[in-house]
């Protein structure tokens, strides 16, 4: 602290607090709209600056030692209320802002001490310049990736590692801001400050890059899972097409025999036999025609493909699907959920049949629209010990893309989901919110 009148102190406090709010606003998502956020921060700043100036006048020594920490702690509590992020993600962003606060506070003081003989106005101008530079760099190079980084930290990081990381950064920054270091001007002091800045900043950068890398790897993994799922769907469709082609060839080959039988029955006047034969002929033709389960083409094709596979495995399938041609949810997301659930159910039944061939397996799939909700339930035979673990499939679901993919897609639509093993019957329930 360079001293000066209370008016000078007020200007420095105001610049530091405004800079801190501006930097935090770049990194964090506000709970309120812009106008309301500005009003809240303005009222908070007015109260905090008034109290800081009263403290400065009342006890200059303790204010010089502690005002930066106390003002920042007050701001941190208020920022948690203002931020829309989760609490521990907000605390991480506050730690980043704390580091940036140390940069422009200590940086401005050092510029004033080293080059301007402790001039107060040099400190003030340097603070403004450093805050502007940091805000520009954040806005240009960091802001776009902060959203993805926050999502990755929330989804990939455990709270213990985040807590340790924040504590390490706070200790490093606290050492930098220790007012006892500013009493004597030595090369050793400057070296300590620079090393602390470098190490703490490097820690910030490495954490940022690490979670970005981990998050992107997860995204690539999920994309690969979707590609695999689409590949399997195409395989099922090709199987159906091949069956239809073979059936058509066989029917065309036998058409002469059918005509001969029909003609002979007609000549003999065997009406009953002819009608029975024609009914059997119609059933044979229907086998080559794809079943219409619902009006949505993508969902219908997927359900037909997996129903054929289930029937080949001698699994009893019950479908209750009520879905319009154009649901509000994109086909790719809806197919991802249903295909995962259906395929997991098929593999669970196959696992059961490997142990007990005589056991009858079933899959009961229901999809219905209720006002602005889409309800999906899937029940199937499974091993009694099968249970979802950590959002991933259990031992009876080796072939599935994974329950985690269902959860991820459901979260996009504020879905509520539930998985349970009811004594050898695996039950999956999901409710998705759709626009009116």
């Amino acid at each position: 602290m360079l001293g000066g009148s209370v008016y000078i102190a007020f200007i420095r406090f105001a610049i530091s607090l405004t800079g801190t709010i501006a930097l935090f606003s770049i990194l964090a998502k506000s709970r309120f709209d812009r106008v309301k956020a500005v009003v809240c921060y303005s009222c908070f700043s007015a109260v905090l600056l008034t109290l800081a100036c009263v403290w400065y006048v009342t006890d200059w020594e303790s204010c010089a030692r502690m005002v930066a920490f106390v003002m920042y702690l007050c701001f941190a509590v208020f920022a948690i209320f203002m931020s829309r992020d989760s609490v521990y993600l907000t605390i991480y962003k506050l730690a980043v802002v704390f580091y940036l606060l140390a940069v422009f506070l200590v940086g401005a003081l050092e510029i004033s001490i080293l080059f301007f003989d402790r001039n107060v106005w040099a400190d003030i101008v340097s603070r403004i310049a450093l805050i502007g530079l940091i805000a520009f760099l954040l806005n240009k190079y960091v802001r776009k990736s902060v959203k993805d980084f926050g999502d990755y930290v929330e989804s990939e990081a455990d709270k213990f590692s985040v807590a340790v990381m924040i504590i390490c950064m706070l200790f490093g920054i606290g050492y930098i801001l220790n007012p006892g270091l500013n009493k004597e001007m030595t090369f050793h002091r400057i070296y300590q400050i620079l090393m602390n800045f470098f190490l703490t900043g490097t820690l910030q950068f490495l954490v940022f890059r690490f979670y970005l890398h981990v998050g992107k790897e997860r995204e690539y993994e999920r994309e690969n899972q979707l590609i695999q799922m689409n590949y399997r769907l195409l395989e099922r469709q090709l199987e159906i097409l091949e069956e239809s082609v073979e059936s058509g060839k066989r029917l065309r080959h036998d058409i002469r025999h059918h005509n001969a039988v029909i003609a002979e029955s007609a000549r003999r006047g065997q009406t009953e036999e002819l009608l029975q034969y024609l009914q059997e002929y119609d059933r044979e033709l229907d086998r080559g025609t794809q079943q219409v389960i619902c009006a949505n083409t993508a969902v219908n094709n997927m359900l037909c493909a997996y129903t054929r596979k289930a029937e080949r495995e001698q699994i009893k399938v019950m479908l209750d699907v009520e879905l319009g041609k154009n649901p509000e949810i994109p086909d790719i997301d809806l197919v991802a959920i249903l295909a995962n659930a259906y395929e997991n159910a098929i593999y669970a039944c196959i696992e059961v049949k490997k142990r007990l061939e005589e056991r009858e397996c079933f899959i009961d799939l229901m999809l219905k629209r209720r006002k602005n909700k889409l309800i999906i339930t899937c029940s199937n035979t499974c091993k009694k010990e099968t249970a979802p673990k950590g959002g991933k499939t259990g031992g009876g679901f080796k072939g599935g893309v994974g329950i985690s993919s269902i959860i991820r897609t459901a979260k996009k639509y504020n879905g509520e989901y539930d998985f349970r093993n009811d004594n050898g019957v695996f039950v999956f329930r999901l409710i998705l919110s759709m626009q009116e």
Side-chain angles (χ1 to χ4, degrees):
M1 183 71 72
L2 300 176
S5 67
V6 68
Y7 303 106
I8 298 295
F10 174 81
I11 293 173
R12 296 167 75 191
F13 293 157
I15 292 171
S16 299
L17 183 58
T18 303
T20 303
I21 292 173
L23 298 179
F24 181 75
S25 299
I26 292 173
L27 296 175
K29 294 180 286 188
S30 176
R31 189 187 300 271
F32 308 108
D33 59 76
R34 181 173 297 180
V35 175
K36 190 171 182 179
V38 170
V39 172
C40 291
Y41 278 125
S42 299
C43 295
F44 168 78
S45 300
V47 174
L48 188 61
L49 290 173
T50 301
L51 295 175
C53 289
V54 171
W55 185 11
Y56 185 85
V57 173
T58 306
D59 188 353
W60 180 87
E61 259 190 56
S62 63
C63 182
R65 288 196 306 270
M66 299 298 298
V67 68
F69 288 106
V70 174
M71 288 183 67
Y72 180 79
L73 288 175
C74 293
F75 167 76
V77 173
F78 186 74
I80 292 174
F81 165 74
M82 292 291 293
S83 176
R84 198 171 61 189
D85 297 319
S86 63
V87 174
Y88 74 97
L89 180 58
T90 301
I91 293 174
Y92 171 76
K93 291 180 178 180
L94 283 169
V96 175
V97 173
F98 193 24
Y99 173 76
L100 299 175
L101 169 68
V103 169
F104 70 74
L105 279 183
V106 177
L109 282 171
E110 294 302 318
I111 291 173
S112 175
I113 293 171
L114 293 174
F115 302 107
F116 297 97
D117 194 24
R118 296 179 176 268
N119 185 281
V120 174
W121 293 106
D123 173 55
I124 292 173
V125 173
S126 298
R127 288 190 190 194
I128 296 173
L130 288 173
I131 290 170
L133 177 63
I134 293 170
F136 171 77
L137 294 175
L138 283 179
N139 193 56
K140 186 173 183 180
Y141 297 106
V142 179
R143 188 172 192 173
K144 291 181 180 179
S145 56
V146 162
K147 182 183 180 298
D148 289 338
F149 170 74
D151 294 339
Y152 297 152
V153 169
E154 286 188 333
S155 60
E156 308 297 344
D158 61 283
K159 294 183 179 180
F160 176 77
S161 63
V162 173
V164 172
M165 172 187 66
I166 292 171
I167 291 170
C168 291
M169 289 187 296
L170 291 179
F171 273 127
I173 301 165
Y175 180 79
I176 294 171
L177 286 178
N178 183 2
L181 294 175
N182 294 325
K183 291 182 179 179
E184 187 180 354
M185 181 69 174
T186 64
F187 174 79
H188 181 66
R189 177 179 66 83
I190 296 174
Y191 176 78
Q192 283 183 317
I193 291 174
L194 290 176
M195 284 299 100
N196 272 276
F197 270 126
F198 174 76
L199 294 175
T200 309
T202 302
L203 175 61
Q204 296 266 11
F205 178 75
L206 290 177
V207 168
F208 184 79
R209 295 295 301 174
F210 172 74
Y211 283 116
L212 275 181
H213 176 75
V214 170
K216 287 178 181 178
E217 286 293 321
R218 298 294 188 207
E219 288 294 327
Y220 295 148
E221 182 180 341
R222 293 181 186 111
E223 289 176 4
N224 183 50
Q225 289 176 342
L226 287 175
I227 292 172
Q228 292 177 2
M229 182 189 69
N230 290 330
Y231 175 75
R232 286 194 292 272
L233 282 173
L234 286 174
E235 281 186 329
R236 304 289 177 266
Q237 290 291 347
L238 286 173
E239 289 173 5
I240 293 174
L241 181 60
E242 288 174 359
E243 290 176 3
S244 299
V245 170
E246 289 298 323
S247 178
K249 286 180 179 179
R250 179 168 51 82
L251 289 174
R252 286 192 297 272
H253 180 268
D254 294 339
I255 192 70
R256 289 172 298 170
H257 304 291
H258 294 311
N259 288 339
V261 171
I262 292 171
E264 184 64 24
S265 298
R267 280 194 295 269
R268 295 184 178 185
Q270 297 173 335
T271 307
E272 293 295 329
E273 289 82 354
L274 178 59
L275 290 175
Q276 182 179 357
Y277 183 80
L278 289 174
Q279 288 176 355
E280 293 177 357
Y281 185 58
D282 286 340
R283 284 196 294 270
E284 188 70 18
L285 289 175
D286 288 339
R287 292 176 186 174
T289 304
Q290 180 165 298
Q291 182 183 3
V292 178
I293 299 173
C294 68
N296 184 276
T297 303
V299 173
N300 186 79
N301 291 340
M302 183 276 299
L303 292 176
C304 288
Y306 280 103
T307 299
R308 289 286 187 95
K309 179 176 176 59
E311 289 174 348
R312 284 199 299 270
E313 298 292 340
Q314 298 181 344
I315 300 170
K316 184 179 179 182
V317 177
M318 293 165 283
L319 300 176
D320 185 6
V321 180
E322 296 178 7
L323 186 66
K325 189 173 183 180
N326 297 308
E328 288 81 353
I329 297 176
D331 290 345
I332 188 170
D333 291 332
L334 197 53
V335 168
I337 293 173
L338 292 171
N340 281 321
Y342 208 159
E343 189 172 41
N344 286 342
I346 291 173
Y347 277 95
C349 291
I350 291 174
E351 289 293 319
V352 171
K353 281 184 171 293
K354 286 180 180 178
R355 289 189 176 187
L356 300 170
E357 294 185 3
E358 70 279 2
R359 183 175 176 183
E360 184 179 3
C361 295
F362 73 91
I363 298 173
D364 188 355
L365 180 65
M366 186 271 287
L367 187 152
K368 290 187 178 181
R369 172 78 180 267
R370 292 291 182 269
K371 296 183 178 179
N372 65 330
K373 303 289 185 182
L374 188 66
I375 303 171
I376 301 172
T377 63
C378 183
S379 304
N380 61 271
T381 309
C382 70
K383 295 184 291 186
K384 291 185 178 182
E385 65 271 19
T386 300
K389 300 176 182 179
K392 300 189 181 295
T393 54
F397 302 88
K398 295 178 183 177
V401 174
I403 291 177
S404 58
S405 296
I406 297 177
I407 294 174
R408 177 176 173 270
T409 307
K411 284 181 178 178
K412 290 174 59 177
Y413 305 97
N414 299 318
E416 298 179 5
Y417 50 86
D418 174 48
F419 303 94
R420 74 172 190 272
N421 187 332
D422 189 5
N423 194 28
V425 176
F426 190 82
V427 181
F428 157 58
R429 295 180 296 182
L430 173 65
I431 299 177
L432 298 177
S433 299
M434 299 189 298
Q435 297 177 355
E436 290 284 6

